[in-house]
Amino acid sequence: MMTALFSRAARVAAFIVTGLAVLILAGCNDFEGMAKHLRPLSHSTKSLIAKKGMSETSPILVRLFKEESELEVWKQEKATGRYALLKTYDICKWSGKLGPKQQEGDRQAPEGFYTITPAQLNPNSSYYLSFNMGYPNAYDRSLGRTGSHLMVHGACSSRGCYAMDDDQIQEIYTLARLAFQGGQKSFQVHAFPFRMTPENLAKHRRNENYAFWKMLKEGSDVFELTRQEPKVAVCSKQYVFGTERQAGMSYSPSASCAPKVDDSVRLAVAKKRAEDELREDKIASNLNDRDYAKIAVADLMRDPRQKNEVPPTLLALARGTMPAEAATPSAPQNAPMSTPADAPVMTASIPERSESGKTGAQTQVASETPTGGEPPMATAYAPQQEEDAGLLSRLIKKVW
């Protein structure tokens, strides 16, 4: 009798387990069949949002860092209304070198402050999912910069965009969709060349974009101190940042303006700027011409889209085979490095950084196109000489 009851119970248990397995598989199949732009967040991300005191539909803000190859998603906390870091994602690929996009076809990824509206989300992207960064913005246009269809997208392939892998863009897209669903009218994207620290600014002090990056740092400081979206305006062909706009003031890229800043914020930003500049000066005082040459060569070599042209004098200085005074006889200590237009050049290239942080011999590059068709691919070139490859390996470790 007991044996029969046990056998029957075992059959019932097996039936229940089988039924649950069918339901689970059906659920998975339903999810796989769901349009990708409508898929929900993963259970782990939902749990993380709840743990951090946020809601799935609370506003977001995105920050991009080229040199570190990182994308951050920030979300508003329910209790404080301040933004807190939700998650950091590895950027799969970005193209170009450090510095802003200047013109159509230069394959530079943009740097600056951009605003994303629901209309900029593309559920039918050729690169899984994407959103348009809104380049050129008012600042870019004030300087005559050109370009179009600059995206944050999937497919891990870039020729001017910030490319994520498909799972990453799926989650980032969903977070944006849910924020819009919750009532956010637009969200900001802050795109930086690197984390705006005194160490990084000292390291890149001789770059021609240094003054531009110092301006970006001001917006970064406002956000980091307030954990609120900075009010970004463009006046006199400059970014200006505040906590609110002056009532009745007209904002024009070609005219002067002064967004209102709370005294507490203004003083905090000024204090941080002074402290950071002292630290930057101290770090820069310990860097010499060869240090700056190594940094410049590494940046020129990082872009695999084509044969990058590196002046041989700069390469020799980075190697330590040329005296600093021979390479830059009259350059002041903190002046940007430059090379005469007619100077001879040496070609070299840098292996692309992969998702794991390792380098590879070849990299494909691509970006979103208005027609939705896949653009032609380009491949990286190998270093011309074995010694160049060795130099490259040493330099890139300093940068990445």
Side-chain angles (χ1 to χ4, degrees):
M1 181 68 176
M2 292 296 294
T3 302
L5 287 173
F6 179 79
S7 177
R8 182 179 179 185
R11 287 197 299 272
V12 170
F15 178 79
I16 292 172
V17 169
T18 302
L20 287 172
V22 170
L23 288 174
I24 291 171
L25 288 172
C28 291
N29 290 335
D30 288 344
F31 179 79
E32 289 299 322
M34 184 183 297
K36 55 183 178 288
H37 68 286
L38 297 176
R39 292 176 185 173
L41 295 171
S42 66
H43 177 71
S44 61
T45 301
K46 288 182 178 183
S47 297
L48 181 63
I49 289 171
K51 182 179 178 181
K52 294 197 172 190
M54 306 163 178
S55 70
E56 292 182 33
T57 57
S58 61
I60 67 168
L61 182 145
V62 172
R63 300 208 302 172
L64 298 159
F65 302 96
K66 281 183 177 177
E67 192 167 60
E68 294 83 2
S69 289
E70 290 181 342
L71 180 152
E72 295 177 344
V73 174
W74 293 65
K75 253 187 167 309
Q76 261 188 5
E77 297 171 317
K78 288 187 286 187
T80 66
R82 288 160 56 91
Y83 281 90
L85 179 62
L86 173 66
K87 227 173 175 184
T88 300
Y89 304 83
D90 289 334
I91 296 173
C92 197
K93 285 186 177 66
W94 58 270
S95 65
K97 57 186 178 181
L98 300 183
K101 183 173 182 63
Q102 302 282 354
Q103 61 187 13
E104 185 82 55
D106 65 8
R107 296 190 179 185
Q108 280 286 109
E111 293 173 9
F113 294 84
Y114 297 89
T115 300
I116 314 301
T117 65
Q120 288 164 246
L121 300 186
N122 184 4
N124 302 311
S125 172
S126 299
Y127 302 98
Y128 196 74
L129 291 168
S130 69
F131 62 81
N132 191 311
M133 289 184 64
Y135 177 93
N137 63 14
Y139 174 81
D140 301 317
R141 292 193 300 273
S142 75
L143 298 178
R145 293 176 178 172
T146 58
S148 58
H149 309 288
L150 278 301
M151 309 279 174
V152 175
H153 61 62
C156 192
S157 178
S158 172
R159 64 170 188 181
C161 298
Y162 291 95
M164 316 300 294
D165 69 32
D166 291 350
D167 289 340
Q168 291 171 326
I169 195 62
Q170 172 75 72
E171 184 161 277
I172 295 164
Y173 187 102
T174 301
L175 287 166
R177 175 178 60 80
L178 291 172
F180 289 140
Q181 182 181 317
Q184 188 174 20
K185 302 298 183 185
S186 62
F187 67 88
Q188 291 184 354
V189 171
H190 303 172
F192 299 114
F194 37 70
R195 294 192 177 276
M196 308 306 285
T197 63
E199 291 78 8
N200 282 333
L201 284 163
K203 185 173 71 171
H204 295 287
R205 180 173 274 199
R206 295 194 183 184
N207 191 290
E208 62 183 354
N209 296 298
Y210 176 77
F212 170 68
W213 292 337
K214 289 283 281 188
M215 179 173 56
L216 297 189
K217 183 182 184 298
E218 195 169 330
S220 176
D221 288 346
V222 171
F223 174 72
E224 291 183 2
L225 290 168
T226 65
R227 296 296 171 89
Q228 300 287 356
E229 283 190 346
K231 302 299 181 186
V232 182
V234 179
C235 305
S236 301
K237 299 183 179 181
Q238 297 286 312
Y239 282 116
V240 292
F241 309 93
T243 52
E244 59 182 281
R245 293 195 169 197
Q246 292 276 30
M249 178 171 284
S250 175
Y251 290 83
S252 167
S254 59
S256 61
C257 67
K260 185 177 179 181
V261 183
D262 292 341
D263 284 344
S264 59
V265 174
R266 179 177 55 80
L267 293 173
V269 170
K271 181 175 182 289
K272 186 177 190 303
R273 182 190 304 123
E275 291 173 348
D276 286 352
E277 286 180 350
L278 282 174
R279 177 158 179 76
E280 181 189 331
D281 288 343
K282 183 177 180 180
I283 295 167
S285 68
N286 293 316
L287 297 176
N288 58 33
D289 285 345
R290 187 182 180 194
D291 294 324
Y292 283 113
K294 290 178 181 179
I295 293 162
V297 169
D299 189 33
L300 287 170
M301 287 182 172
R302 78 169 65 243
D303 182 7
R305 65 197 166 133
Q306 60 186 10
K307 289 183 178 180
N308 292 286
E309 297 179 343
V310 181
T313 52
L314 185 63
L315 196 59
L317 179 58
R319 287 172 170 160
T321 57
M322 174 179 289
E325 58 272 16
T328 54
S330 60
Q333 180 66 23
N334 295 327
M337 284 191 164
S338 61
T339 306
D342 57 351
V345 296
M346 178 177 292
T347 59
S349 72
I350 193 163
E352 175 79 4
R353 183 191 185 210
S354 70
E355 295 169 82
S356 63
K358 298 178 181 178
T359 56
Q362 282 193 336
T363 302
Q364 290 184 321
V365 291
S367 77
E368 191 94 16
T369 61
T371 59
E374 186 170 345
M377 295 294 191
T379 56
Y381 291 82
Q384 299 294 309
Q385 301 175 10
E386 184 177 349
E387 61 178 345
D388 287 340
L391 169 68
L392 187 58
S393 298
R394 293 194 299 275
L395 290 181
I396 201 58
K397 288 177 182 177
K398 287 181 173 289
V399 178
W400 283 330

